[in-house]
Amino acid sequence: IRALGTEAIYQHVQRYHDALEPVLLSRGFRSERSRDPAARSGILSAWPPQGIGVPALSQALNARGIATTTPDGRIRFSPHWPNALSEIPMVTAAIDAACAEVQS
C-alpha cells in the first residue's frame, strides 16, 4: 500500500465507483455517493430497487463472490486496490442475477 500510495489507491477506487455507480442507477438503485468528489469515500452505498431486500441481496451477491456489507440497511460496495476495472462486467452480471433471485 505504501508503494502504491494512498492517493493512487483512492483515485483507483473512485474510478471503480465511477464505473459501478451507473450500473446500479440503471437498475433502479439509489446511490448515496456524494456528488461532490472531494466528499467521497472508498465506500459506495446504495438502496436497492423496490421489492429487493438488502440482507437477501447482500447474501446473494456474497454467494457470487461479490463482497458487500449492510451495517446500516444499505448495501455497501468497498473495492480496494486489487479490484480491477475489468471486473465490472462480472459484478454487473452478479448484480443482475442476485436481484432476479431475491426480487419479491
Side-chain angles (χ1 to χ4, degrees), residues 4-103:
L4 294 171
T6 56
E7 182 60 27
I9 293 169
Y10 174 81
Q11 293 303 323
H12 171 72
V13 168
Q14 294 311 309
R15 285 190 297 276
Y16 197 101
H17 289 168
D18 289 345
L20 180 58
E21 186 179 38
V23 168
L24 296 172
L25 294 174
S26 72
R27 284 150 175 81
F29 285 75
R30 184 171 47 96
S31 174
E32 291 196 337
R33 187 177 186 211
S34 178
R35 297 292 158 228
D36 176 4
R40 293 178 177 168
S41 73
I43 297 170
L44 175 56
S45 297
W47 294 98
Q50 188 89 10
I52 297 177
V54 172
L57 178 59
S58 181
Q59 184 176 6
L61 285 168
N62 291 335
R64 289 169 171 79
I66 309 302
T68 62
T69 59
T70 61
D72 55 3
R74 296 159 184 86
I75 191 141
R76 290 183 171 195
F77 298 88
S78 54
H80 211 277
W81 66 267
N83 295 103
L85 294 175
S86 61
E87 296 173 356
I88 297 298
M90 186 261 309
V91 174
T92 299
I95 290 168
D96 290 342
C99 286
E101 177 184 318
V102 303
Q103 190 161 18

